[in-house]
PDB file of all heavy atoms in Angstrom:
ATOM      1  N   GLU A1493       7.305  25.262  66.355  1.00 97.00           N
ATOM      2  CA  GLU A1493       8.678  25.591  66.965  1.00 97.00           C
ATOM      3  C   GLU A1493       9.394  24.302  67.395  1.00 97.00           C
ATOM      4  O   GLU A1493      10.493  24.190  67.151  1.00 97.00           O
ATOM      5  CB  GLU A1493       8.505  26.583  68.062  1.00 97.00           C
ATOM      6  CG  GLU A1493       9.928  27.213  68.411  1.00 97.00           C
ATOM      7  CD  GLU A1493       9.708  28.151  69.585  1.00 97.00           C
ATOM      8  OE1 GLU A1493       9.083  27.982  70.524  1.00 97.00           O
ATOM      9  OE2 GLU A1493      10.472  29.183  69.490  1.00 97.00           O
ATOM     10  N   GLY A1499      14.865  19.763  64.424  1.00 97.00           N
ATOM     11  CA  GLY A1499      15.562  19.736  63.200  1.00 97.00           C
ATOM     12  C   GLY A1499      14.714  19.291  62.060  1.00 97.00           C
ATOM     13  O   GLY A1499      15.264  18.640  61.034  1.00 97.00           O
ATOM     14  N   ARG A1508       4.246  15.806  58.573  1.00 94.00           N
ATOM     15  CA  ARG A1508       4.083  15.079  59.796  1.00 94.00           C
ATOM     16  C   ARG A1508       3.430  16.058  60.860  1.00 94.00           C
ATOM     17  O   ARG A1508       3.018  15.599  61.877  1.00 94.00           O
ATOM     18  CB  ARG A1508       5.507  14.668  60.398  1.00 94.00           C
ATOM     19  CG  ARG A1508       6.185  13.731  59.441  1.00 94.00           C
ATOM     20  CD  ARG A1508       6.683  12.416  60.381  1.00 94.00           C
ATOM     21  NE  ARG A1508       7.365  11.519  59.394  1.00 94.00           N
ATOM     22  CZ  ARG A1508       8.644  11.524  59.149  1.00 94.00           C
ATOM     23  NH1 ARG A1508       9.388  12.364  59.887  1.00 94.00           N
ATOM     24  NH2 ARG A1508       9.140  10.668  58.399  1.00 94.00           N
TER      25      ARG A1508
ATOM     26  N   ARG B1380      16.765  30.459  72.888  1.00 97.00           N
ATOM     27  CA  ARG B1380      16.486  30.177  71.542  1.00 97.00           C
ATOM     28  C   ARG B1380      17.629  30.608  70.577  1.00 97.00           C
ATOM     29  O   ARG B1380      17.682  30.232  69.393  1.00 97.00           O
ATOM     30  CB  ARG B1380      15.173  30.841  71.054  1.00 97.00           C
ATOM     31  CG  ARG B1380      13.941  30.012  71.529  1.00 97.00           C
ATOM     32  CD  ARG B1380      12.671  30.787  71.380  1.00 97.00           C
ATOM     33  NE  ARG B1380      11.530  30.042  71.737  1.00 97.00           N
ATOM     34  CZ  ARG B1380      11.309  29.546  72.946  1.00 97.00           C
ATOM     35  NH1 ARG B1380      12.048  29.754  73.869  1.00 97.00           N
ATOM     36  NH2 ARG B1380      10.341  28.718  73.129  1.00 97.00           N
ATOM     37  N   ARG B1413      19.097  18.021  65.269  1.00 97.00           N
ATOM     38  CA  ARG B1413      18.557  16.732  65.316  1.00 97.00           C
ATOM     39  C   ARG B1413      19.450  15.910  66.334  1.00 97.00           C
ATOM     40  O   ARG B1413      18.875  15.117  67.073  1.00 97.00           O
ATOM     41  CB  ARG B1413      18.748  16.097  63.865  1.00 97.00           C
ATOM     42  CG  ARG B1413      17.774  16.509  63.028  1.00 97.00           C
ATOM     43  CD  ARG B1413      17.936  15.851  61.695  1.00 97.00           C
ATOM     44  NE  ARG B1413      16.996  16.475  60.696  1.00 97.00           N
ATOM     45  CZ  ARG B1413      16.859  16.164  59.391  1.00 97.00           C
ATOM     46  NH1 ARG B1413      17.716  15.261  58.992  1.00 97.00           N
ATOM     47  NH2 ARG B1413      15.911  16.693  58.657  1.00 97.00           N
ATOM     48  N   PRO B1427      -0.572  16.733  69.217  1.00 93.00           N
ATOM     49  CA  PRO B1427      -1.864  16.207  69.853  1.00 93.00           C
ATOM     50  C   PRO B1427      -2.443  15.017  69.195  1.00 93.00           C
ATOM     51  O   PRO B1427      -3.139  14.243  69.763  1.00 93.00           O
ATOM     52  CB  PRO B1427      -2.802  17.474  69.728  1.00 93.00           C
ATOM     53  CG  PRO B1427      -2.253  18.292  68.693  1.00 93.00           C
ATOM     54  CD  PRO B1427      -0.831  18.058  68.717  1.00 93.00           C
ATOM     55  N   GLU B1440      12.476   9.881  64.649  1.00 96.00           N
ATOM     56  CA  GLU B1440      11.943   9.847  63.269  1.00 96.00           C
ATOM     57  C   GLU B1440      12.605  10.954  62.373  1.00 96.00           C
ATOM     58  O   GLU B1440      12.943  10.641  61.130  1.00 96.00           O
ATOM     59  CB  GLU B1440      10.464  10.172  63.394  1.00 96.00           C
ATOM     60  CG  GLU B1440       9.484   9.607  62.369  1.00 96.00           C
ATOM     61  CD  GLU B1440       8.078  10.079  62.867  1.00 96.00           C
ATOM     62  OE1 GLU B1440       7.495   9.163  63.605  1.00 96.00           O
ATOM     63  OE2 GLU B1440       7.605  11.103  62.326  1.00 96.00           O
TER      64      GLU B1440
END
Side-chain angles (χ1 to χ4, degrees):
Chain A
E1493 189 179 45
R1508 301 232 178 95
Chain B
R1380 278 163 178 70
R1413 285 178 185 179
E1440 204 179 274

